[in-house]
Amino acid sequence: MENEPDHENVEQSLCAKTTEEELNKSFNLEASLSKFSYIDLDKELEFKTDLIDDKEFDIPQVDTPPTLESILNETDDEEESFVLEDPTLLNIDTIDSHSYDTSSVASSDSGDRTNLKRKKKLPDSFSLHGSVMRHSLLKGISAQIVSAADKVDAGLPTAIAVSSLIAVGTSHGLALIFDQNQALRLCLGSTSVGGQYGAISALSINNDCSRLLCGFAKGQITMWDLASGKLLRSITDAHPPGTAILHIKFTDDPTLAICNDSGGSVFELTFKRVMGVRTCESRCLFSGSKGEVCCIEPLHSKPDLKDHPITQFSLLAMASLTKILVIGLKPSLKVWMTFPYGRMEKSETHSIARGKGVIEYTVKGRVKRDESGAIHVTKQKHLHLHYDLINFTWINSRTVVLLDSVEKLHVIDRQTQEELETVEISEVQLVYNSSHFKSLATGGNVSQALALVGEKACYQSISSYGGQIFYLGTKSVYVMMLRSWRERVDHLLKQDCLTEALALAWSFHEGKAKAVVGLSGDANKRKAVVADRMVEILFHYADRALKKCPDQGKIQVMEQHFQDMVPVIVDYCLLLQRKDLLFSQMYDKLSENSVAKGVFLECLEPYILSDKLVGITPQVMKDLIVHFQDKKLMENVEALIVHMDITSLDIQQVVLMCWENHLYDAMIYVYNRGMNEFISPMEKLFKVIAPPLNAGKTLTDEQVVMGNKLLVYISCCLAGRAYPLGDIPEDLVPLVKNQVFEFLIRLHSAEASLEEEIYPYVRTLLHFDTREFLNVLALTFEDFKNDKQAVEYQQRIVDILLKVMVENSDFTPSQVGCLFTFLARQLAKPDNTLFVNRTLFDQVLEFLCSPDDDSRHSERQQVLLELLQAGGIVQFEESRLIRMAEKAEFYQICEFMYEREHQYDKIIDCYLRDPLREEEVFNYIHNILSIPGHSAEEKQSVWQKAMDHIEELVSLKPCKAAELVATHFSEQIETVIKKLQNQVLLFKFLQSLLDPREGIHVNQESLQISPCITELFIELLCQFNPNQVIETLQVLECYRLEETIQIAQRYQLHEVTAYLLEKKGDIHGAFLIMLKRLQSKLQEITQQDENTKENSSLKEVEETTVETIALCQRNSHNLNQQQREALWFPLLEAMMAPQKLSSSAAPHLHSEALKSLTMQVLNSMAAFIALPSILQRILQDPVYGKGKLGEIQGLILGMLDTFNYEQTLLETTTSLLNQDLHWSLCHLRASVTRGLNPKQDYCSICLQQYKRRQEMADEIIVFSCGHLYHSFCLQNKECTIEIEGQTRWTCYKCSSSNKVGKLSENSSEIKKGRITPSQVKMSPSCLPSKGDPAVKKATSEPVLDPQQIQAFDQLCRLYRGSSRLALLTELSQNRSSESYRPFSGSQSGPAFNSIFQNENFQLQLIPPPVTED
């Protein structure tokens, strides 16, 4: 068995469990304290680097440590809140947030809120860590336990203790002692003693394995000599009788032991031998009456630390139901640490269960001693679990094994708190010590709390020793230990989990694995050992990949198989830096299968592209290129080539392949890297693109790509960078630059024909892309140092460029311009050394400004502008330049020149003449006039120029012109109007200026336009767009009505005249005009004969009728009955006149349409004129008066229907309102007559009985909230408020918190009940006299008192919306000026928000609710 030595700082683990359910049902609290070990801190720091820093966890020193007595007398329910030191340690996400309420013994929570947590699946740690634990059955011991039970009636096993021997206690009082070979050495005790003492409930073996202590269920203790098997002591009076021994433990001192009984007390046993007589003295360390201890653990030191100063204290850890203690037994009893886990915080050593979920905290202390000799125990870690914990055991200093209540083991890494493995141990059939905690053998006289603690106690069934944990079952003993790293890897291999085995081995290699056993030595040695094992696994993996490959089936299936397997091999070989292995044995092995070989080669691609894999063997490199070539993945080949060292390949073959497949980047790379040849690739590319360019043909896409690559390549070479990535070696940079320059400026190419023009390379590049080629040269000139050779190169290439371009006519103006712009930039530099003949610039100017044809005008202008902006302006005479630009109509050039001379007014002409930019003139003028930075003279000249050209500007864009005028010429509007001779232009201008619908941003108020201008616009509108006049008048503001009416009459626009007369207030005049128009239209329609099928005249009649009805409806509200009749009856007569003319025998073509229109008029007028008047008027008509009522039968029946409908509506509404009112009054009466019930019989302010001052004329005021006051006290506290002339009381207690700044919101406060209407209870002596003015006022004015107001508010709220009464009240308010609102107290003054504006408004058409009495 391999075991890690226990290298860890002094660690203390206190761990336990409480299962807390409803107090009356079940209650469980257990504590388990594992072994402690001490080592020298200085020595330890040398060994381990992952120790927690002392300073980080240090706690301040205590001047006087508390005494044991003071701690025992503390109350259990500590109220201190516990603060977690390191919140990041909470690494399990299933913390039960409900468990934070309490952890006290008395609390209970039967809620099942955490039940879901149990069902959450545990993380699958097997794939990550493999199998960490190995568990095996101790067959020899198990068999002998069963045999002893059968043969000697030993009973079932009850307790186990392990040292170099294994002791098992039984239920019939026997102790069976086994050696390491599982042979039974001793059988101590007898069944007769067992009958007297009961079962063995606890065992302990001392350090040197010479003595055994047995504790019994009936309270006795025996000590045995393990060498001879003799009974040395039988102790019966060490603790109170009638309590079972729960724990018995030897300390490091063989003469000192500790026991804990079922009364919760702890006793120190001192063994002495005086005159050959063995005695035992007992001392009570902790009394169960002060709080029951359920777990104890002496803190043992390692054998090699015997001389450590801390051993002299003989420390003991104890866990009671409410706190943890660490006490020193020597030299005198002293408490060194106490940690309460009271009601408000979670236990550090106990697991607190609430319902069925659990959160468990473990404190690991580090014990250290300072210079003064005091001991400090500091908390190091919390552990939060999602299961109920019943046992906690250290297997080594870095790994903890936990047992939960469903008998699952959880292996936890201390440092990271990660769960490494979960093991089911239900097969063990673990022995529980519950009967001893309940002390059943002595009659069960234990507290309910301790009995519950013992529900799943298994302290005596689990024992750890030497990196092994022993579990005692009812018929067996099992042992658990950590597997070595090799075992863990092999275990995964046996289960065919090869990838997991490799991942686990790699974690061992990197030192990231947990619970590692069996790896020793320095880091490099450990890595080498693991790496060797990984290589073996990789070979096995490769063999398996080939063996498991599906033989038949689709090629895709085979590919998928290898794509899953092969990358793993490649990854791990590269991680282990074993390229030799990868490219020799592995590659050879996988090459046996062509699919595997292909997948292998494809796996290398990402590593090559990310430069993680360099130095590939030539064979693999060749195979790689061939493989991608076969799969037609030429782009991938190119990407790979430029990342590989191709010196070992056949260069010519690779170049040929690149050329054939158009891999130009790769070809250039191969030439550069393989042969240090930089010119050949350029020559190759030039040969392809030069002939079509010289012939004037368009290049193909492929050739354009080549040309672009060529330019980038030249740029890289001249800048000293490698193509396509990296840098040229520094020693080669000057050489490459010179070679490339020399090549570019060659007079003729290598295999030149006689017809070839000079400087073919420069010419080709200029033809291909002038601008980019010159940019490349410009960048190169930037890099040049100013030595003599560089200056010569620059001048030479400039001369060649000029010679090629100026002496040739086959370059476009744009290309020539690019060259001179480039030259101008170079010449404008401060350190310029170039010389260019100035006459050349003049030639260029001539060339650009006076071409043979007028094509490419904008291009030539743009080129010249760039040339000037690049600094070329110094090369020209400015006056000549302006003349030529004006002549060539280069207005942007003119603008550029004028701006230099600040002649801004002339720029306006440039804009106006330039058809492409003429609309930008408005922004230009606006900017000059509004942006600061221009002088007053310049602004004035621009202003004047704009005024001179105003007609031109208006014709260009009227809305922009109007905006400009409104902003900068607002005082000159009349002048502008005079300048605009064209009436159409004037109309458009005024429309843009005055009509807000045109969308220009003009502030009409600041314009101050006179009415005559508006009237001029209206007149123009009547001329040019008469249909829009009324709509425009509706939005216009400043015009005079009389003058406008005259204009409308002049142009015979009757609707406009009627609109204006109505606006003026002459309703009758407006109506007469509309009526006259309607009559003329009706006349037209009646004179139409059968043949005319046009419906346009009928449509006009309909429109005119609708407009006339609308006019009458708009104004009828404000007229008296006589005036209304003067409007409506003429209209009705006009509509009925055509029907009188047509006989019933021969009805008119449009008679039906006219009848429906007449009906429309009747329906409209019925709202304003009484029905009898209408009927009377119809019957008085001479035509109908003679018995022609059949004609108007439809009209009369329609009117009667309307009447019936309205009558029904009125009756229904009245009925509903009566029901509402009755229901409201019933509730109101009930509310008003309800009595008030005071909460107390004393005043809430002076706190005296309300009867105290009955002799004084003092009122008692009771509020509906239940508070009671003397009115005198309330007055002193200023608790009165004036609302609508009435004094009201407010409850002092309810309103004091909301008093500040809220007294203005009285109405809302009444609604919310802050100002509570009171019931006044008066003594007879202070009833008001009959002459009291307040009483008179109350009787004369029938207003509601505050209680009634509140009751009515409650009533309204019952509706959950506005009442029908309120709706109708508001509707009636809209109709009439008189506002009548019943129960006006519920609203505050005139600020009345409309019900209909409320977004939650719903019309509830249901009867009022029926209330139950």
Side-chain angles (χ1 to χ4, degrees):
M1 291 176 216
E2 295 182 33
N3 174 38
E4 175 89 347
D6 210 7
H7 288 315
E8 183 64 352
N9 191 26
V10 177
E11 294 193 351
Q12 147 191 355
S13 145
L14 311 170
C15 160
K17 169 202 187 238
T18 341
T19 309
E20 189 177 30
E21 294 182 1
E22 286 188 81
L23 189 60
N24 301 332
K25 294 180 183 175
S26 68
F27 176 88
N28 186 349
L29 170 66
E30 295 185 3
S32 137
L33 293 139
S34 81
K35 295 189 178 176
F36 285 57
S37 51
Y38 317 106
I39 39 177
D40 186 2
L41 290 172
D42 301 332
K43 186 175 173 187
E44 174 62 16
L45 287 170
E46 293 170 16
F47 278 99
K48 292 196 75 66
T49 55
D50 64 340
L51 283 179
I52 296 166
D53 183 15
D54 284 338
K55 289 178 185 171
E56 186 186 347
F57 288 95
D58 221 339
I59 55 174
Q61 293 182 19
V62 182
D63 298 332
T64 53
T67 64
L68 184 60
E69 192 61 32
S70 71
I71 287 162
L72 296 182
N73 289 328
E74 283 175 11
T75 54
D76 289 344
D77 50 348
E78 298 282 338
E79 292 298 329
E80 305 164 5
S81 62
F82 174 70
V83 181
L84 179 63
E85 284 183 358
D86 185 2
T88 60
L89 299 174
L90 300 167
N91 65 342
I92 292 185
D93 57 0
T94 50
I95 293 173
D96 172 15
S97 60
H98 300 296
S99 307
Y100 282 106
D101 302 338
T102 171
S103 66
S104 76
V105 169
S107 73
S108 68
D109 184 0
S110 58
D112 201 12
R113 289 174 292 209
T114 55
N115 194 21
L116 296 172
K117 301 244 177 4
R118 178 66 57 80
K119 292 176 185 173
K120 186 162 181 178
K121 195 184 172 196
L122 295 173
D124 180 22
S125 52
F126 177 76
S127 57
L128 196 59
H129 303 287
S131 175
V132 179
M133 298 290 284
R134 181 172 79 239
H135 58 285
S136 48
L137 171 67
L138 297 181
K139 291 179 182 173
I141 295 178
S142 302
Q144 290 175 80
I145 288 173
V146 174
S147 174
D150 290 345
K151 291 178 181 174
V152 297
D153 192 24
L156 294 172
T158 54
I160 189 168
V162 182
S163 182
S164 52
L165 297 173
I166 298 171
V168 177
T170 72
S171 58
H172 290 175
L174 298 181
L176 309 175
I177 312 299
F178 300 91
D179 63 13
Q180 291 177 348
N181 299 320
Q182 302 187 44
L184 182 63
R185 286 265 305 276
L186 295 167
C187 178
L188 306 175
S190 66
T191 51
S192 59
V193 175
Q196 185 186 347
Y197 290 178
I200 290 182
S201 57
L203 291 169
S204 178
I205 301 174
N206 69 354
N207 280 349
D208 59 3
C209 230
S210 61
R211 298 283 184 271
L212 171 73
L213 275 174
C214 302
F216 288 86
K218 293 187 180 176
Q220 295 83 352
I221 300 167
T222 56
M223 180 190 276
W224 300 84
D225 185 334
L226 287 177
S228 63
K230 285 182 183 174
L231 176 67
L232 302 180
R233 288 182 177 83
S234 185
I235 307 161
T236 55
D237 56 352
H239 66 104
T243 53
I245 300 292
L246 300 183
H247 301 275
I248 188 156
K249 305 276 183 182
F250 272 111
T251 63
D252 285 340
D253 180 351
T255 66
L256 200 62
I258 312 291
C259 77
N260 171 208
D261 66 14
S262 60
S265 303
V266 181
F267 296 88
E268 175 191 68
L269 307 177
T270 311
F271 304 119
K272 292 184 179 175
R273 191 169 178 180
V274 182
M275 307 288 292
V277 178
R278 290 188 170 88
T279 61
C280 171
E281 292 178 7
S282 167
R283 172 169 66 146
C284 180
L285 301 178
F286 191 103
S287 168
S289 60
K290 305 285 186 184
E292 291 140 315
V293 170
C294 50
C295 183
I296 59 168
E297 192 67 61
L299 305 189
H300 296 288
S301 60
K302 291 188 174 180
D304 54 346
L305 295 174
K306 285 289 183 197
D307 301 328
H308 194 285
I310 207 159
T311 55
Q312 71 197 35
F313 289 97
S314 193
L315 294 181
L316 169 72
M318 305 188 293
S320 78
L321 299 180
T322 53
K323 56 173 78 77
I324 301 163
L325 303 166
V326 176
I327 62 174
L329 303 176
K330 298 177 181 178
S332 62
L333 190 65
K334 192 166 189 181
V335 176
W336 290 111
M337 188 277 279
T338 175
F339 188 85
Y341 35 89
R343 191 171 297 145
M344 298 305 292
E345 64 216 14
K346 288 295 145 283
S347 141
E348 286 303 294
T349 58
H350 290 251
S351 41
I352 304 303
R354 303 204 30 163
K356 294 185 179 175
V358 65
I359 300 181
E360 186 274 339
Y361 293 71
T362 302
V363 66
K364 272 196 330 193
R366 167 185 300 177
V367 185
K368 65 175 185 180
R369 189 162 170 258
D370 62 16
E371 293 165 6
S372 66
I375 295 170
H376 299 285
V377 182
T378 56
K379 176 165 58 66
Q380 285 190 3
K381 281 229 183 340
H382 284 251
L383 188 59
H384 299 262
L385 307 175
H386 59 275
Y387 39 80
D388 303 352
L389 188 68
I390 60 172
N391 186 269
F392 177 109
T393 319
W394 292 95
I395 196 160
N396 65 23
S397 59
R398 292 190 303 279
T399 315
V400 182
V401 178
L402 311 178
L403 178 63
D404 69 19
S405 57
V406 293
E407 296 194 1
K408 262 189 189 171
L409 283 185
H410 303 266
V411 185
I412 308 281
D413 178 65
R414 172 186 65 83
Q415 198 67 32
T416 61
Q417 302 189 9
E418 191 178 348
E419 189 170 282
L420 308 180
E421 191 181 10
T422 311
V423 185
E424 274 276 4
I425 61 156
S426 51
E427 60 178 351
V428 173
Q429 295 181 326
L430 195 67
V431 169
Y432 289 100
N433 319 131
S434 314
S435 61
H436 308 141
F437 270 79
K438 295 175 182 176
S439 199
L440 298 181
T442 60
N445 53 338
V446 297
S447 72
Q448 189 184 10
L450 202 67
L452 283 169
V453 164
E455 276 301 329
K456 284 211 168 184
C458 53
Y459 298 108
Q460 306 305 325
S461 320
I462 300 171
S463 180
S464 67
Y465 178 76
Q468 301 166 80
I469 306 178
F470 295 82
Y471 291 91
L472 179 65
T474 52
K475 294 179 180 177
S476 56
V477 176
Y478 281 79
V479 65
M480 296 262 178
M481 67 196 77
L482 290 175
R483 295 178 189 271
S484 72
W485 73 273
R486 274 185 193 278
E487 271 186 80
R488 281 165 69 179
V489 172
D490 291 346
H491 182 75
L492 285 170
L493 289 175
K494 278 178 197 165
Q495 299 190 342
D496 219 19
C497 301
L498 270 74
T499 46
E500 287 84 353
L502 283 166
L504 182 61
W506 180 248
S507 69
F508 290 131
H509 185 275
E510 293 298 289
K512 291 179 181 173
K514 310 287 187 298
V516 185
V517 176
L519 267 181
S520 53
D522 63 358
N524 291 334
K525 187 179 171 187
R526 289 203 297 270
K527 281 188 175 186
V529 172
V530 177
D532 290 345
R533 182 72 183 114
M534 284 184 77
V535 170
E536 291 170 22
I537 299 171
L538 282 171
F539 277 121
H540 175 50
Y541 190 80
D543 291 338
R544 181 166 169 272
L546 291 167
K547 201 180 292 178
K548 288 281 180 80
C549 173
D551 296 333
Q552 62 270 17
K554 292 183 180 176
I555 194 85
Q556 288 92 331
V557 178
M558 292 175 72
E559 276 184 359
Q560 187 58 49
H561 168 74
F562 285 116
Q563 278 163 2
D564 293 341
M565 306 285 279
V566 174
V568 177
I569 298 171
V570 178
D571 282 345
Y572 282 110
C573 284
L574 291 174
L575 283 172
L576 292 167
Q577 297 175 339
R578 293 290 303 273
K579 281 191 288 188
D580 56 326
L581 179 72
L582 183 67
F583 293 134
S584 55
Q585 292 139 293
M586 285 296 173
Y587 183 56
D588 294 345
K589 198 181 277 286
L590 291 170
S591 297
E592 294 168 15
N593 184 309
S594 58
V595 180
K597 180 180 177 180
V599 173
F600 176 86
L601 294 168
E602 283 167 28
C603 285
L604 301 178
E605 184 183 11
Y607 291 101
I608 295 170
L609 295 181
S610 58
D611 294 321
K612 289 179 183 168
L613 184 56
V614 287
I616 305 173
T617 59
Q619 181 59 44
V620 176
M621 211 183 297
K622 187 177 174 186
D623 291 350
L624 189 66
I625 292 170
V626 170
H627 172 73
F628 278 102
Q629 241 183 309
D630 291 345
K631 291 194 90 172
K632 301 284 188 288
L633 297 170
M634 298 316 296
E635 288 177 7
N636 302 51
V637 173
E638 183 166 38
L640 289 168
I641 287 175
V642 299
H643 282 274
M644 295 195 302
D645 177 15
I646 40 78
T647 46
S648 53
L649 290 181
D650 182 342
I651 301 289
Q652 291 305 323
Q653 190 183 344
V654 176
V655 168
L656 190 64
M657 179 198 72
C658 293
W659 187 253
E660 285 172 358
N661 293 290
H662 313 298
L663 310 181
Y664 306 117
D665 286 358
M667 181 198 76
I668 294 170
Y669 176 85
V670 171
Y671 269 118
N672 293 175
R673 288 291 170 92
M675 302 186 276
N676 274 346
E677 172 63 72
F678 290 86
I679 302 303
S680 300
M682 278 198 269
E683 286 181 328
K684 268 178 156 325
L685 292 172
F686 268 119
K687 278 180 187 170
V688 178
I689 64 167
L693 279 172
N694 292 338
K697 293 178 185 172
T698 310
L699 294 182
T700 62
D701 290 348
E702 183 68 32
Q703 289 166 335
V704 170
V705 169
M706 290 167 77
N708 286 330
K709 285 188 187 297
L710 181 58
L711 276 174
V712 176
Y713 175 51
I714 291 169
S715 172
C716 286
C717 289
L718 294 177
R721 291 192 306 276
Y723 183 86
L725 42 98
D727 290 302
I728 298 173
E730 278 189 29
D731 52 330
L732 288 177
V733 171
L735 177 70
V736 171
K737 277 190 180 180
N738 287 346
Q739 278 184 0
V740 173
F741 255 122
E742 291 293 343
F743 171 74
L744 286 178
I745 59 179
R746 281 185 193 171
L747 200 59
H748 284 290
S749 56
E751 301 164 6
S753 61
L754 294 171
E755 294 86 38
E756 186 183 72
E757 296 185 53
I758 54 173
Y759 305 116
Y761 300 129
V762 170
R763 185 184 304 277
T764 302
L765 290 170
L766 285 170
H767 272 301
F768 175 70
D769 194 333
T770 315
R771 189 182 295 273
E772 285 307 320
F773 176 51
L774 293 172
N775 282 347
V776 169
L777 291 178
L779 286 171
T780 312
F781 286 3
E782 295 285 336
D783 290 346
F784 269 154
K785 311 230 174 3
N786 267 339
D787 56 8
K788 193 176 175 191
Q789 187 189 14
V791 172
E792 282 177 12
Y793 264 131
Q794 284 184 36
Q795 186 65 52
R796 192 165 162 201
I797 200 152
V798 165
D799 292 343
I800 290 169
L801 290 170
L802 287 167
K803 189 168 181 62
V804 169
M805 282 196 102
V806 177
E807 293 177 10
N808 267 62
S809 59
D810 54 352
F811 285 99
T812 64
S814 181
Q815 290 173 317
V816 175
C818 281
L819 172 62
F820 279 89
T821 304
F822 163 74
L823 293 176
R825 283 202 183 102
Q826 299 303 322
L827 294 170
K829 284 183 185 172
D831 55 351
N832 171 51
T833 53
L834 291 176
F835 169 73
V836 178
N837 193 340
R838 192 161 175 173
T839 54
L840 285 172
F841 278 94
D842 287 338
Q843 284 177 16
V844 169
L845 184 61
E846 287 283 341
F847 170 68
L848 293 173
C849 287
S850 47
D852 303 331
D853 61 343
D854 199 30
S855 62
R856 296 185 167 177
H857 179 274
S858 59
E859 183 189 329
R860 286 184 284 113
Q861 177 172 242
Q862 200 57 40
V863 165
L864 185 54
L865 189 63
E866 276 184 33
L867 174 55
L868 297 177
Q869 286 167 341
I873 194 155
V874 297
Q875 310 293 337
F876 303 111
E877 185 192 334
E878 293 191 8
S879 58
R880 179 167 179 265
L881 179 60
I882 289 175
R883 277 200 313 278
M884 295 193 72
E886 284 178 345
K887 183 182 167 190
E889 297 180 0
F890 287 174
Y891 296 114
Q892 281 174 278
I893 307 295
C894 296
E895 183 189 344
F896 179 78
M897 300 304 296
Y898 290 143
E899 197 147 345
R900 284 170 61 85
E901 297 168 16
H902 300 291
Q903 296 179 348
Y904 299 112
D905 53 330
K906 291 187 178 180
I907 294 175
I908 294 175
D909 291 325
C910 294
Y911 275 108
L912 289 171
R913 288 184 208 160
D914 189 345
L916 295 174
R917 301 191 309 141
E918 57 188 5
E919 288 189 8
E920 293 173 28
V921 69
F922 299 104
N923 286 340
Y924 179 76
I925 295 171
H926 173 70
N927 290 344
I928 295 288
L929 293 178
S930 57
I931 293 172
H934 300 293
S935 68
E937 293 80 14
E938 289 164 358
K939 288 189 176 183
Q940 181 59 36
S941 66
V942 170
W943 190 90
Q944 193 56 50
K945 188 75 154 182
M947 279 297 284
D948 294 345
H949 287 283
I950 195 73
E951 194 161 4
E952 216 172 321
L953 291 170
V954 171
S955 60
L956 189 61
K957 211 160 192 189
C959 59
K960 290 268 190 187
E963 206 168 333
L964 194 67
V965 167
T967 312
H968 300 291
F969 303 89
S970 54
E971 294 169 7
Q972 303 288 324
I973 288 176
E974 291 182 14
T975 317
V976 171
I977 290 170
K978 283 175 189 166
K979 281 179 178 278
L980 294 172
Q981 298 299 319
N982 185 329
Q983 293 291 297
V984 179
L985 270 187
L986 180 58
F987 167 60
K988 286 182 180 173
F989 170 71
L990 286 175
Q991 188 174 21
S992 300
L993 188 67
L994 300 176
D995 192 341
R997 295 171 302 170
E998 290 296 307
I1000 66 162
H1001 307 292
V1002 175
N1003 187 352
Q1004 300 284 352
E1005 291 172 13
S1006 62
L1007 270 180
Q1008 297 174 343
I1009 293 168
S1010 67
C1012 58
I1013 293 176
T1014 313
E1015 287 151 19
L1016 172 63
F1017 167 53
I1018 293 168
E1019 189 167 354
L1020 291 167
L1021 192 65
C1022 291
Q1023 282 181 39
F1024 296 113
N1025 198 353
N1027 295 333
Q1028 290 290 318
V1029 178
I1030 290 183
E1031 287 178 28
T1032 310
L1033 285 172
Q1034 285 168 350
V1035 294
L1036 287 181
E1037 289 166 7
C1038 48
Y1039 58 87
R1040 294 167 298 185
L1041 282 171
E1042 286 299 334
E1043 283 76 356
T1044 316
I1045 290 169
Q1046 287 170 17
I1047 293 168
Q1049 287 170 343
R1050 200 181 314 147
Y1051 287 98
Q1052 295 184 344
L1053 297 175
H1054 302 300
E1055 288 106 323
V1056 180
T1057 314
Y1059 169 77
L1060 291 166
L1061 285 170
E1062 186 186 354
K1063 192 170 182 182
K1064 184 182 168 187
D1066 183 0
I1067 310 298
H1068 201 68
F1071 174 70
L1072 288 175
I1073 289 173
M1074 294 301 288
L1075 187 63
K1076 192 175 177 185
R1077 187 158 172 268
L1078 178 61
Q1079 285 168 338
S1080 65
K1081 298 279 181 196
L1082 285 168
Q1083 201 171 350
E1084 283 176 27
I1085 209 169
T1086 50
Q1087 288 167 1
Q1088 280 183 356
D1089 55 3
E1090 295 277 340
N1091 302 326
T1092 53
K1093 291 188 178 178
E1094 288 183 20
N1095 285 331
S1096 58
S1097 52
L1098 178 63
K1099 200 170 181 189
E1100 285 175 12
V1101 168
E1102 285 176 2
E1103 285 173 3
T1104 313
T1105 310
V1106 170
E1107 284 171 21
T1108 315
I1109 290 172
L1111 172 72
C1112 296
Q1113 283 178 325
R1114 275 199 303 276
N1115 298 289
S1116 289
H1117 290 292
N1118 308 320
L1119 301 176
N1120 59 31
Q1121 192 63 29
Q1122 192 181 352
Q1123 289 169 325
R1124 288 177 184 178
E1125 288 180 3
L1127 288 186
W1128 287 103
F1129 284 137
L1131 176 59
L1132 182 62
E1133 279 168 18
M1135 288 308 299
M1136 292 175 74
Q1139 297 174 52
K1140 296 174 190 173
L1141 297 174
S1142 63
S1143 64
S1144 55
H1148 187 264
L1149 179 67
H1150 299 298
S1151 61
E1152 286 303 318
L1154 290 173
K1155 272 184 184 175
S1156 70
L1157 283 174
T1158 311
M1159 197 66 212
Q1160 200 174 331
V1161 172
L1162 271 170
N1163 284 338
S1164 303
M1165 67 192 289
F1168 302 100
I1169 295 175
L1171 290 178
S1173 304
I1174 299 172
L1175 274 174
Q1176 190 180 358
R1177 176 55 68 98
I1178 292 172
L1179 294 174
Q1180 280 172 358
D1181 188 290
V1183 177
Y1184 300 118
K1186 292 173 185 171
K1188 281 198 174 183
L1189 282 172
E1191 299 286 329
I1192 55 162
Q1193 183 186 359
L1195 300 180
I1196 293 169
L1197 288 174
M1199 287 157 63
L1200 289 171
D1201 280 349
T1202 307
F1203 168 75
N1204 283 333
Y1205 168 71
E1206 289 185 350
Q1207 187 182 22
T1208 310
L1209 193 64
L1210 182 66
E1211 285 170 0
T1212 310
T1213 308
T1214 312
S1215 163
L1216 283 172
L1217 278 178
N1218 287 339
Q1219 286 179 38
D1220 279 11
L1221 193 60
H1222 174 259
W1223 183 81
S1224 304
L1225 288 170
C1226 283
H1227 271 72
L1228 200 53
R1229 186 170 170 282
S1231 302
V1232 168
T1233 55
R1234 186 180 295 124
L1236 294 181
N1237 177 29
K1239 288 179 182 173
Q1240 70 272 334
D1241 61 350
Y1242 54 85
C1243 170
S1244 293
I1245 294 175
C1246 65
L1247 303 177
Q1248 293 190 27
Q1249 291 284 328
Y1250 68 84
K1251 299 172 184 172
R1252 55 133 203 189
R1253 295 192 294 187
Q1254 202 66 1
E1255 71 280 356
M1256 295 175 65
D1258 195 10
E1259 299 170 352
I1260 309 304
I1261 295 171
V1262 183
F1263 288 90
S1264 60
C1265 56
H1267 294 124
L1268 177 146
Y1269 303 94
H1270 295 108
S1271 61
F1272 189 70
C1273 297
L1274 273 184
Q1275 275 174 347
N1276 289 345
K1277 292 289 182 184
E1278 297 177 357
C1279 287
T1280 56
I1281 284 178
E1282 289 287 330
I1283 297 178
E1284 296 175 359
Q1286 284 188 310
T1287 303
R1288 297 200 184 148
W1289 297 104
T1290 62
C1291 176
Y1292 173 68
K1293 274 196 169 183
C1294 298
S1295 61
S1296 59
S1297 58
N1298 303 312
K1299 219 171 190 178
V1300 186
K1302 295 209 177 175
L1303 295 180
S1304 59
E1305 303 171 11
N1306 293 328
S1307 61
S1308 63
E1309 290 194 359
I1310 289 174
K1311 283 186 177 181
K1312 291 173 188 170
R1314 287 180 196 149
I1315 302 174
T1316 318
S1318 59
Q1319 173 175 325
V1320 181
K1321 189 164 84 179
M1322 300 182 180
S1323 58
S1325 62
C1326 55
L1327 285 168
S1329 64
K1330 288 183 181 177
D1332 194 331
V1335 177
K1336 282 182 185 173
K1337 188 179 173 190
T1339 52
S1340 62
E1341 246 181 69
V1343 293
L1344 297 177
D1345 69 14
Q1347 279 172 299
Q1348 291 170 321
I1349 290 166
Q1350 191 191 24
F1352 183 68
D1353 284 340
Q1354 288 171 350
L1355 210 64
C1356 289
R1357 281 198 290 277
L1358 278 172
Y1359 275 110
R1360 296 183 186 170
S1362 305
S1363 69
R1364 284 188 277 262
L1365 205 59
L1367 294 175
L1368 288 162
T1369 304
E1370 186 175 346
L1371 286 169
S1372 67
Q1373 271 183 335
N1374 294 344
R1375 286 295 177 93
S1376 61
S1377 56
E1378 307 92 66
S1379 71
Y1380 167 66
R1381 269 189 289 135
F1383 305 114
S1384 58
S1386 64
Q1387 311 289 354
S1388 60
F1392 178 61
N1393 293 326
S1394 171
I1395 290 162
F1396 304 109
Q1397 289 169 357
N1398 181 357
E1399 61 182 13
N1400 297 324
F1401 169 68
Q1402 288 180 335
L1403 197 59
Q1404 297 183 335
L1405 296 174
I1406 53 169
V1410 179
T1411 55
E1412 295 173 12
D1413 291 326

